[in-house]
Amino acid sequence: MIVIKEAVKRFLDVNVLDHVNLTIEDGDKIALMGPNGAGKTTLVRSILGFYHLDSGSIEVDGLSPIKMRQRVLTNISFIPQTPPPIKLSLTELIEYVAKSSQVVPQAIFEEAKRLDLALEQNLSKPFFKLSGGMKQKMLIAIALAKKSKMLIFDEPTANLDPKAREKFYNLLEELDAKTSTIYITHRLEEVESLVNRKIYMDLGKVVEDERV
Ligand SMILES: Nc1ncnc2c1ncn2[C@@H]1O[C@H](COP(=O)(O)OP(=O)(O)OP(=O)(O)O)[C@@H](O)[C@H]1O
Ligand SMILES: [Mg+2]
């Protein structure tokens, strides 16, 4: 469970998060929406402890994502809006993830296969040299293989072709009902059948929070 109280994050004197209050229960499946610049990415990055709040608080299962970063991240898989420029080859990346997150490499291979990512042919390639869609598939495969309590996707399908998009959503339908998920998206129709809650942000505030 995530409890956000009066969260304020300022960049250049602008409240990018402006007194956000939100409680996310275990098993919630959330579509997080709102215009460009609304603060969606900033909110999830704060949940993940990437950003220090200027005031207010965030607790993930009672823990501060800043002070207990390692513990908090153990239970969360995050697919960023822009893939990081990882220099490791796919083999090295898989080894790294296996060691650091107790993920079985075989599980990554299986998820990749289901997303039509030609993993075997690309194992020696550095991650940053993959195509945009391949990077996204790789990150999704790792996230799903990790079997986290919570998945956070920041516009995960932006680079995926229509077929890959469909496969991705099929995989999500199989997720355990207890898994909490946050989808940041501009395409509600794609996640509508997967969510039980729609949250809209604008100008750093939660302006609508609807259970469906
Ligand atoms: N690291 C940063 N430094 C300075 N300003 C930032 C930083 N990150 C975000 N911002 C600003 O905060 C505001 C909200 O950005 P954010 O990325 O959270 O929006 P978003 O809702 O995710 O938008 P989009 O739909 O375009 O992804 C924007 O005005 C952005 O310029
Ligand atoms: Mg964003």
Side-chain angles (χ1 to χ4, degrees):
M1 181 163 123
I2 300 174
V3 182
I4 302 170
K5 287 186 187 154
E6 293 295 322
V8 173
K9 177 67 194 167
R10 266 192 291 276
F11 285 121
L12 307 168
D13 285 341
V14 175
N15 284 359
V16 171
L17 296 181
D18 194 5
H19 300 274
V20 172
N21 290 289
L22 201 59
T23 300
I24 298 172
E25 314 277 353
D26 290 343
D28 265 356
K29 316 248 186 241
I30 296 170
L32 179 56
M33 292 167 286
N36 295 135
K40 307 178 296 294
T41 296
T42 304
L43 181 65
V44 300
R45 286 189 161 266
S46 303
I47 292 172
L48 296 161
F50 287 115
Y51 294 143
H52 284 254
L53 295 178
D54 288 276
S55 61
S57 66
I58 297 182
E59 283 186 358
V60 181
D61 292 334
L63 303 174
S64 153
I66 297 282
K67 292 190 196 122
M68 304 295 282
R69 184 102 196 272
Q70 208 72 21
R71 286 252 318 264
V72 165
L73 293 184
T74 313
N75 297 319
I76 305 181
S77 288
F78 172 57
I79 314 282
Q81 186 166 8
T82 322
I86 301 168
K87 290 203 182 74
L88 299 179
S89 71
L90 297 193
T91 301
E92 291 165 338
L93 179 60
I94 292 169
E95 268 170 26
Y96 172 76
V97 171
K99 281 207 193 102
S100 62
S101 309
Q102 278 82 51
V103 176
V104 192
Q106 190 55 32
I108 300 177
F109 279 90
E110 277 162 25
E111 301 290 352
K113 190 164 179 206
R114 297 171 69 187
L115 286 161
D116 270 343
L117 172 65
L119 195 50
E120 277 85 2
Q121 293 95 300
N122 288 289
L123 282 172
S124 58
K125 221 182 236 181
F127 175 83
F128 78 94
K129 288 200 175 162
L130 298 178
S131 77
M134 287 164 78
K135 282 181 199 162
Q136 221 151 3
K137 287 180 185 177
M138 187 65 197
L139 295 180
I140 292 168
I142 291 171
L144 294 177
K146 197 173 151 199
K147 310 259 177 266
S148 305
K149 258 179 67 183
M150 168 162 248
L151 293 165
I152 301 179
F153 296 103
D154 196 347
E155 299 185 39
T157 59
N159 286 314
L160 296 185
D161 63 46
K163 205 169 124 219
R165 221 172 254 174
E166 202 186 313
K167 295 218 156 147
F168 170 61
Y169 288 115
N170 288 342
L171 289 185
L172 294 180
E173 274 167 12
E174 294 170 18
L175 284 180
D176 196 307
K178 281 179 286 188
T179 310
S180 314
T181 342
I182 300 176
Y183 306 99
I184 298 182
T185 183
H186 294 293
R187 307 165 190 246
L188 177 61
E189 67 283 2
E190 285 190 1
V191 294
E192 201 142 32
S193 65
L194 297 168
V195 302
N196 61 10
R197 196 170 168 190
K198 299 175 194 172
I199 296 175
Y200 292 87
M201 288 185 73
D202 195 12
L203 301 173
K205 289 182 193 294
V206 170
V207 290
E208 226 181 299
D209 183 352
E210 182 194 359
R211 290 191 178 270
V212 288

